Amino acid sequence: MSPVRVRISRDNVKSEFVRLVNEISGQNVLNCYQCGRCSAGCPLTFAMRLLPNQVIRLVQLGLEEEALSTNTPWVCASCMTCYARCPRGVDLAKVMEALRAIRLRPGVADRVRLKDIPEDALARLPQQGLVSGLRKLTG
Ligand code: SF4
Ligand code: SF4
């Protein structure tokens, strides 16, 4: 990968992309302090263009295009070795899953927001349909 010139700013770190990755994955990518243990244990780095910790750094910096264009999330086998080794409890497999979801759903993310559904509609809607819709249509 050619060097990426990064302008670190509050806007990048607090960008919509970082918020979305955190929301979908249920993780806080800013907890990662780049120790590299995840990458040291990952069995598939030989096929990755960027190491898992490099990808999470791109996410931390709000570099959406760079994070979404690398093959790392697609090579990841969700084996969770990284999660077992992470001293900060970051589940990288879930972060990779979030990146795949964002990549596959352009324009669809956040179409359904639970908080936007009126309470009376929530009570009436079939629960199975609701959960299914949220899973499929919420980025
Ligand atoms: S092991 Fe955890 S804290 Fe260390 S680089 Fe990987 S994700 Fe970050
Ligand atoms: S879950 Fe993915 S990134 Fe983590 S160790 Fe396994 S293959 Fe590597």
Side-chain angles (χ1 to χ4, degrees), residues 16 19-21 23-25 97-98 100-117 129-139:
E16 174 63 13
R19 186 200 68 74
L20 197 53
V21 173
E23 183 178 307
I24 297 172
S25 66
E97 171 67 20
R100 291 194 294 270
I102 292 171
R103 184 69 194 262
L104 288 173
R105 299 174 184 174
V108 177
D110 284 345
R111 190 168 287 173
V112 175
R113 284 177 175 273
L114 200 54
K115 67 181 174 59
D116 293 339
I117 301 175
L130 191 60
V131 171
S132 169
L134 287 169
R135 282 191 180 144
K136 287 180 182 164
L137 300 174
T138 301

Side-chain angles (χ1 to χ4, degrees), residues 64-79:
E64 179 172 358
E65 196 181 322
E66 289 80 358
L68 293 180
S69 61
T70 186
N71 73 343
T72 306
W74 304 98
V75 174
C76 169
S78 300
C79 70

Side-chain angles (χ1 to χ4, degrees), residues 53-125:
N53 70 295
Q54 291 175 316
V55 172
I56 199 167
R57 179 56 108 199
L58 291 175
V59 176
Q60 288 174 324
L61 295 173
L63 297 171
E64 179 172 358
E65 196 181 322
E66 289 80 358
L68 293 180
S69 61
T70 186
N71 73 343
T72 306
W74 304 98
V75 174
C76 169
S78 300
C79 70
M80 299 180 81
T81 304
C82 47
Y83 182 37
R85 296 172 62 107
C86 179
R88 299 288 288 157
V90 178
D91 189 338
L92 253 181
K94 286 185 178 168
V95 173
M96 297 296 174
E97 171 67 20
L99 294 175
R100 291 194 294 270
I102 292 171
R103 184 69 194 262
L104 288 173
R105 299 174 184 174
V108 177
D110 284 345
R111 190 168 287 173
V112 175
R113 284 177 175 273
L114 200 54
K115 67 181 174 59
D116 293 339
I117 301 175
E119 266 187 42
D120 60 324
L122 269 181
R124 278 184 284 109
L125 287 170

Side-chain angles (χ1 to χ4, degrees), residues 22-53:
N22 283 344
E23 183 178 307
I24 297 172
S25 66
Q27 306 300 299
N28 182 354
V29 295
L30 298 180
N31 280 343
C32 165
Y33 58 16
Q34 288 291 304
C35 68
R37 285 193 197 182
C38 49
S39 299
C42 175
L44 291 171
T45 52
F46 68 90
M48 294 172 174
R49 286 202 290 271
L50 288 180
L51 297 172
N53 70 295

